[in-house]
Amino acid sequence: MLSVSGVDAAYGRARVLFGVGLEVPAGSLVCVMGRNGVGKTTLLKTVMGTLTPTAGRITFDGRDITRLATHQRVRAGMAYVPQGHVSFPQLTVWENLQVTLEATAHREPAAVDEALDVFPALRQLLKRPAGLLSGGQRQQLAIARALITRPRLLLLDEPTEGIQPSVIDEIEAAIERLHREAGLTVLLVEQYLDFALRLADSFVVMDAGEVVRAGAAEELHDEEVRRMLAV
């Protein structure tokens, strides 16, 4: 479904990605791992088009999307949940969902109900301003908003960061259900190794802007891989 080949990316003169390549087959969950600052978030931004690569090629369903704008990638079936539990804090939960719906091509109200079915706890919070939600609730809202676009590929950047354990369990269950039951393809950036072990089909380890190891999820038990991920 997604293929990244020889991708370089930079912020100004500061080069961050060096010839990165990875494959995300349709229906799979691929986890990108590595220490802080190795380029994981930059990779997702480049895949989603918020950062233009300086070299390399990105294809989605066999189509070259390397130079497509972000909104074109969304229309093609991609959705991105960045770090930081992003929402419109002054709007209610319901308004956040509606704003997203109005921006989609399909504008089908049923998509809101489908997203709320994934995170039913949000139904009790629909009238609450998003800025008053807990970090975990905001993360659930951020993922729900992405699901309203009805993506075929969901990019998640550290969805467990700064969230209480009980909500991590809810988010994990939701991702697993979307992947295993609904067949959603997921590219997940995650540092929490046990979380990745339970969810991933395969993994990629990055270091200093390069892919240094890739394999099946079972290989995450390998001591060499664990050393690569150790802080």
Side-chain angles (χ1 to χ4, degrees):
M1 175 174 276
L2 177 74
S3 178
V4 178
S5 177
V7 164
D8 296 350
Y11 298 102
R13 295 184 178 180
R15 190 172 168 193
V16 179
L17 300 183
F18 300 82
V20 170
L22 62 83
E23 300 289 331
V24 183
S28 68
L29 192 155
V30 178
C31 186
V32 180
M33 309 190 76
R35 300 180 179 92
N36 287 330
V38 298
K40 304 184 302 295
T41 292
T42 299
L43 172 60
L44 289 195
K45 288 180 176 180
T46 305
V47 169
M48 201 61 207
T50 61
L51 181 66
T52 302
T54 56
R57 188 168 183 255
I58 302 170
T59 62
F60 181 62
D61 277 348
R63 176 188 182 190
D64 190 334
I65 64 168
T66 311
R67 301 297 165 187
L68 282 189
T70 299
H71 73 273
Q72 293 174 304
R73 300 184 197 210
V74 172
R75 287 181 179 272
M78 299 170 64
Y80 174 41
V81 182
Q83 285 178 302
H85 322 146
V86 177
S87 64
F88 299 107
Q90 74 279 14
L91 300 182
T92 66
V93 170
W94 178 251
E95 289 167 340
N96 267 271
L97 298 173
Q98 288 299 309
V99 164
T100 304
L101 179 64
E102 290 168 9
T104 66
H106 60 75
R107 297 193 178 183
E108 296 179 21
V112 175
D113 284 329
E114 291 166 7
L116 290 172
D117 286 343
V118 176
F119 296 110
L122 292 177
R123 291 188 184 275
Q124 310 302 317
L125 304 168
L126 292 177
K127 295 182 180 180
R128 184 173 299 182
L132 298 182
L133 300 179
S134 69
Q137 291 165 342
R138 289 198 304 274
Q139 185 64 288
Q140 290 177 321
L141 175 58
I143 298 173
R145 289 178 56 210
L147 294 175
I148 285 174
T149 68
R150 291 183 169 163
R152 291 180 296 117
L153 172 63
L154 179 63
L155 284 67
L156 297 171
D157 194 353
E158 298 203 30
T160 66
E161 184 183 33
I163 294 177
Q164 59 268 40
S166 62
V167 180
I168 289 176
D169 291 342
E170 293 175 13
I171 290 173
E172 178 182 337
I175 295 171
E176 183 170 25
R177 188 165 64 251
L178 289 165
H179 171 49
R180 307 291 181 198
E181 297 178 15
L184 182 63
T185 307
V186 181
L187 180 59
L188 168 70
V189 164
E190 183 55 62
Q191 290 203 68
Y192 182 19
L193 181 57
D194 289 340
F195 187 88
L197 275 169
R198 290 191 294 267
L199 288 176
D201 298 313
S202 60
F203 74 95
V204 169
V205 177
M206 293 185 65
D207 189 32
E210 298 180 308
V211 172
V212 294
R213 181 77 181 262
E218 294 77 14
E219 295 177 42
L220 287 170
H221 294 285
D222 187 277
E223 285 304 315
E224 180 186 354
V225 175
R226 289 178 176 268
R227 283 196 297 273
M228 290 177 179
L229 299 173
V231 176

